[in-house]
Every structure is written in structure tokens, then in C-alpha cells.
Amino acid sequence: MIPVDSIKKVFISYSTRDREWVTKYLLAGLEDKGIPCHIDYRDFEIGPPILINIEKAFEQCSATIVVYSPGWVESKWALFEAMMLQTGDPINLKKKMLPIMLEKCEVPKRLQIFTYADFTDKKEWDAQRGRLISQIQKNFNTIEEKETYPPLDDRYIDISGMPGTGFELYGRQKELALLDDAWENENINLISFVAYGGVGKSTLVNKWLEKMRWDNFRGAGRVFAWSFYSQGTNEYVTSADMFFHFTLQWCGDEDPGAGSPWDKGKRLARLMAGKKTLLVLDGLEPLQSGAEMEKGRIKDPALSVFIREWVKRNRGLCIITTREDLPELDTFAHKTTQINLEQISCEAGIKLLTLRGVRGTEDELKQAVEAFGSHALAVQLCAEYLHRVPLHPAKKALDIPDLDIPVNEGKHPRRMIEAMSLEVCGAGPGRDLLFILGLFDRPVNKGAIDAVIAGSPVPGLTEELTKAAGKEWPGLLSQLRSCKLLAKESERRGDIVDCHPL
């Protein structure tokens, strides 16, 4: 018996305006010929975000029919689906995209290179549908069956420690493919993703973990994730004691508290080596040294030993996300990989701006991306900034004031944060309040802010706010809350799906 997930299926991407034709003519005709189909209103899982259902459909279906029509061209979701299809296979060499033209329309230039089945003449519908069915059957006969894996028992899976992230991911197909290859390659057992905060390291890992879950984690014997991340400072987490106590216990150690730090590190590595383990250590920077002479070295002795022992003995894969390179890995360069994620491709940046509703010619969009060094977080913030400008013109990105800050000190994202704070709050007390809120790593009450502004005003931080501490307080808080609500409403509509805190 063939597992359900391994049956070749066709996903249909269409505009809701064309649903009646798609369901009564196209879908019915394909399934009458024995071609299994996957369509949103019937087959999407209830509960997950629509983006997850779309990605899952692309991942599990062997082909996608794209129904061109004026409604499809105007649909953000349909364009998003087409972009996802092209990201991994820009010129459709794998023949996963099968375009059909239902009504004459001007499709994006990047799609005009593909041959489509022409359904614009009703007299030709049956002939074109027969042609489409023949192509699908031919393609299916050349597709190898996807390897399937038995489900992994829930007691061997704990990825609850990963922070929540957005669902969109741009320009990271290379990194996703690298993770796929590393999981299958026994010679590589540790990958470290290094980048400034907010670039999307955790989003990348979460996206890959989601894909792995769809495939029952591809033969893993154990899957575990832990986050050391602490926003705003690296002084809150000074040891990995909690990680070792919990993980040793989870792996079946009889006495998690026994032994020296070095012994715990070796013991955990040995226990995890007993099964092919997928391990994620997210936000490692709080446990790395900030001193110039030993920049990035792991300060916790147990964790340092564990990482070295892991590289030596484990058959699985450890994924680390951090803001600093790990010098310890230089000794094991043949078994580890460190990747900087600061930048995305110009093409990915243009896609991000386009899907956020930013408008302009391809050259204007390219200039906007390049103006911010193709920096992932800066381009994302730029898209959000331009979304608040009437008509969302890409060329307005060039008017955003520059900052005299080195690139390696976060020039591009800091430039956007400066512009956004001025746009939202102006140069008055609201901006002071926003800066003070940024000093805290958790929700804060008014009393804590009162403590910060008590006494003599701090130049550039509390001067304006001190003056407004009375009557203007409610208005300032209401102003910031309204901005937050607007962002949430945009997220609900699908305009903004991945909002990082500033």
C-alpha cells in the first residue's frame, strides 16, 4: 500500500473569482481522469496559518497548476504562490509549474517566459484540458516516489523552546537546501547561522523544522530545541545550567545534577550520540564572550565541552543561531559550517518589497534594496515604512536620511529604525518614550518609566518626556498603541506577516 503522503498530487493556484470554473470544470475533469488534486477550500488543514498550508501544498504536491486571470494577477496570495514556486526553480526545469490562461491578462514579466495552455476560447476548453492532463500524466511518470519515514514518537520531540517567528522567508532557499544536505551528510554535523538580531535566523530554522515535521523528521531518533536568547543584553544568561539539567533528564540521565560541568558536557554528548539527533541551540550569544581577545568564545565550560564532543561523535545535526562567530569551530572546519545571514539577494529583496505592497519599476525596487545594502532586516523595515507612505512608492526609500555609522555596527537597520521612530512619534516626547521602552526586555508599567525619568532630565533621552509626564502621558501611550494595532491589523489582512520588534 502506498502511503497517502507519497501519492502524486496537483495543487491548483487560482483566484477566488474563478472558483466556479476551477471547481466545476478544471478540478472535476482532472479527478475524473484519476489525477489526485489538492485545493484550498477542501484540502487545507483547519487551524494553521494560510502560509503554512500553501507551503505544505507546494512541498507535498508534485505539480501546481496556475490559473492566470485578471483576478489572479490582482491577488496577493496568488502572486505569493507563484513567487514561492519560482524561488526554488526560477526557470521551471523541474516542470512543477503548469500555467494556464483562463482570461487574457498581463502576468508579471518573470512569468511571461513560460508556455501556458490557452483556455481563453471556450470552444477549446476540452482540447486544452486534455492537453493539460496528458502533460501531467507524462510528468508524473518521470517523478521518483518520495522517500517516506515512519512517525517519530512525541516523547522524542521537544521543539517548544524555539521562539515564535513569522511565516514568511525570502531569499533563503540556498540555506534551506544546505540544511537538507547537511542532514543527509554524515560528514557535516554542525551548522552555525550568524547575523545581527532580527535578520531572521530563528525564522529560517523554524521554517526548516516545519518542513522536517512534514516528513516525520526524516529518520531522526530525537529532536530537541533550546533558546538562550535574551533581548537587549547578554548579561541575563550567565550559564547553561538549566539547559543541561533539563536536557540530561529528557535524554534519560539518572542524575542530571551529578558531576562537574565538563562531565555533564561529555555525558550529554554521549547520550545524544545514541540516536541520530537533530538539535537546535537558538540565540547562543548570551553565553559567548564579548572581550576583544576572546570574542565569541563560549564562556560556559559545560557547553564548550558539549559542542566539541558533539562534533566528534554525533551522527545527527546541531544548528546554532547567534550574533557572533564561534572560534571553537575553526578546529573542526571539516565537520562544521558557519554562515553569515546578514544579506539577502537583490531578487529576494525585491520580492519582499513587492509582497508588502511597495510599488515601483523593477529598477526603483532594486535601488531601494541596494540603498540598504540588501540587509535582510533593513529591507523588511523599509517595506513596513513605505507601506505607511501614500501609494507605497519604492523611490521614497532613497529619501530616507543616512546615518554616519559603520555598516558593521548596524548602519542599515539603525537608519530605518531612526526614520520609523521619527515618522511614528516625531522628535517630541513620544520618541523619548519609545527609546525608554527599548531599554526594557519585557512589558513595563508606568511606574518603571517614572523611575527612569525621575530627577534631572537626561539629554537626548528624557528631556521632552519629563515635560510631558503629566497631561500628555495618556495621549502618548494611545499614539503608540494605535501604531501597534495598525501593525496587527496589517498582519491579520496578510499585508505584514512577519513583524519583528524594534
Side-chain angles (χ1 to χ4, degrees):
M1 180 178 179
I2 300 175
V4 173
D5 286 346
S6 70
I7 295 175
K8 301 182 183 76
K9 295 181 182 179
V10 174
F11 176 53
I12 303 177
S13 170
Y14 68 101
S15 165
T16 53
R17 295 187 202 172
D18 307 316
R19 174 171 288 182
E20 184 175 1
W21 182 87
V22 168
T23 56
K24 293 183 178 180
Y25 184 81
L26 181 62
L27 177 67
L30 292 174
E31 294 192 327
D32 281 348
K33 292 297 182 179
I35 296 175
C37 294
H38 190 91
I39 194 162
D40 57 353
Y41 73 91
R42 184 189 69 188
D43 300 312
F44 275 11
E45 185 180 347
I46 297 173
I50 188 171
L51 282 170
I52 294 295
N53 273 316
I54 290 172
E55 284 200 17
K56 198 169 184 179
F58 287 146
E59 188 81 13
Q60 296 185 343
C61 293
S62 302
T64 296
I65 295 174
V66 180
V67 183
Y68 294 159
S69 72
W72 184 89
V73 171
E74 294 170 16
S75 168
K76 289 184 178 181
W77 287 118
L79 290 175
F80 176 74
E81 291 167 0
M83 285 181 172
M84 286 190 63
L85 273 170
Q86 280 190 280
T87 299
D89 186 16
I91 58 175
N92 203 26
L93 291 176
K94 298 176 183 177
K95 300 180 182 178
K96 286 200 70 172
M97 181 165 65
L98 299 169
I100 67 175
M101 181 73 74
L102 178 59
E103 293 183 53
K104 287 294 183 183
C105 57
E106 188 71 19
V107 298
K109 288 183 179 180
R110 65 181 182 281
L111 300 176
Q112 293 176 8
I113 63 173
F114 302 127
T115 304
Y116 56 79
D118 192 346
F119 283 77
T120 55
D121 185 349
K122 189 173 182 178
K123 296 177 183 178
E124 294 293 319
W125 279 6
D126 289 348
Q128 291 297 318
R129 187 174 63 180
R131 180 183 170 209
L132 179 65
I133 289 170
S134 296
Q135 185 67 58
I136 292 170
Q137 292 171 335
K138 178 182 176 182
N139 291 353
F140 278 10
N141 288 334
T142 62
I143 296 173
E144 295 181 3
E145 291 289 354
K146 185 178 179 180
E147 186 175 0
T148 58
Y149 301 92
L152 181 61
D153 193 305
D154 285 345
R155 60 182 169 163
Y156 297 120
I157 305 170
D158 188 347
I159 55 177
S160 59
M162 283 297 292
T165 57
F167 305 108
E168 288 179 354
L169 190 67
Y170 299 95
R172 299 303 188 196
Q173 295 304 312
K174 180 180 176 182
E175 286 77 16
L176 289 171
L178 174 70
L179 287 168
D180 286 338
D181 292 342
W183 178 248
E184 301 297 334
N185 185 351
E186 292 188 1
N187 294 322
I188 297 293
N189 60 11
L190 191 149
I191 292 180
S192 176
F193 292 116
V194 183
Y196 194 80
V199 165
K201 305 182 293 293
S202 300
T203 303
L204 169 64
V205 175
N206 273 334
K207 185 67 65 179
W208 188 68
L209 285 174
E210 186 68 32
K211 291 177 180 294
M212 289 288 283
R213 186 187 283 279
W214 297 343
D215 289 341
N216 294 325
F217 293 105
R218 302 180 195 171
R222 188 186 283 116
V223 182
F224 186 81
W226 185 275
S227 182
F228 299 97
Y229 176 69
S230 179
Q231 181 182 341
T233 178
N234 64 0
E235 295 304 321
Y236 288 116
V237 180
T238 57
S239 78
D241 288 350
M242 287 181 61
F243 164 74
F244 279 100
H245 186 85
F246 184 91
T247 314
L248 281 166
Q249 189 175 46
W250 188 74
C251 289
D253 189 84
E254 294 181 358
D255 188 359
S260 67
W262 294 269
D263 179 60
K264 289 179 182 177
K266 288 185 176 182
R267 208 160 74 235
L268 182 58
R270 186 169 60 249
L271 284 168
M272 286 196 166
K275 296 178 181 288
K276 186 175 183 181
T277 299
L278 172 56
L279 173 67
V280 179
L281 301 178
D282 179 72
L284 196 65
E285 61 270 9
L287 293 176
Q288 293 177 259
S289 174
E292 195 61 36
M293 294 296 292
E294 52 179 8
K295 188 79 168 174
R297 289 202 172 275
I298 298 174
K299 297 181 291 185
D300 185 89
L303 189 60
S304 180
V305 169
F306 170 73
I307 294 295
R308 290 199 300 269
E309 292 296 313
W310 171 283
V311 175
K312 290 178 185 177
R313 67 172 72 231
N314 205 285
R315 297 178 293 116
L317 179 66
C318 176
I319 304 169
I320 293 174
T321 70
T322 177
R323 298 183 184 185
E324 298 287 348
D325 286 327
L326 285 160
E328 286 92 341
L329 301 186
D330 294 342
T331 308
F332 306 101
H334 61 295
K335 300 196 72 175
T336 66
T337 302
Q338 296 201 72
I339 299 170
N340 190 296
L341 291 182
E342 291 288 332
Q343 290 185 309
I344 54 176
S345 68
C346 187
E347 180 186 23
I350 291 173
K351 287 180 181 178
L352 191 156
L353 292 176
T354 302
L355 287 174
R356 289 290 197 268
V358 177
R359 300 174 182 177
T361 65
E362 188 165 341
D363 188 55
E364 288 171 341
L365 291 165
K366 181 181 178 182
Q367 287 181 41
V369 174
E370 292 177 343
F372 292 91
S374 295
H375 189 282
L377 177 58
V379 174
Q380 181 174 326
L381 293 174
C382 181
E384 167 65 3
Y385 178 88
L386 294 174
H387 192 82
R388 301 172 65 90
V389 177
L391 302 179
H392 325 313
K395 60 185 179 183
K396 283 293 184 181
L398 303 182
D399 297 337
I400 296 172
D402 202 355
L403 291 181
D404 187 19
I405 299 173
V407 172
N408 62 0
E409 293 182 14
K411 171 179 179 171
H412 296 305
R414 288 173 66 181
R415 176 184 171 194
M416 276 312 316
I417 291 172
E418 175 78 6
M420 293 181 80
S421 68
L422 284 171
E423 193 270 339
V424 171
C425 302
R431 196 157 178 255
D432 280 1
L433 177 58
L434 192 62
F435 287 165
I436 290 174
L437 289 173
L439 299 175
F440 297 86
D441 72 336
R442 64 202 70 194
V444 57
N445 59 37
K446 185 177 179 295
I449 298 176
D450 286 337
V452 174
I453 64 176
S456 301
V458 179
L461 180 63
T462 66
E463 288 173 302
E464 296 295 325
L465 191 59
T466 301
K467 300 174 187 176
K471 296 181 180 180
E472 294 186 42
W473 260 104
L476 293 174
L477 293 173
S478 177
Q479 182 183 9
L480 292 179
R481 285 195 185 103
S482 66
C483 291
K484 183 177 181 180
L485 289 173
L486 282 173
K488 285 186 175 294
E489 176 61 17
S490 295
E491 181 177 359
R492 186 189 66 78
R493 290 197 313 266
D495 297 334
I496 305 166
V497 183
D498 186 6
C499 298
H500 291 280
L502 299 184

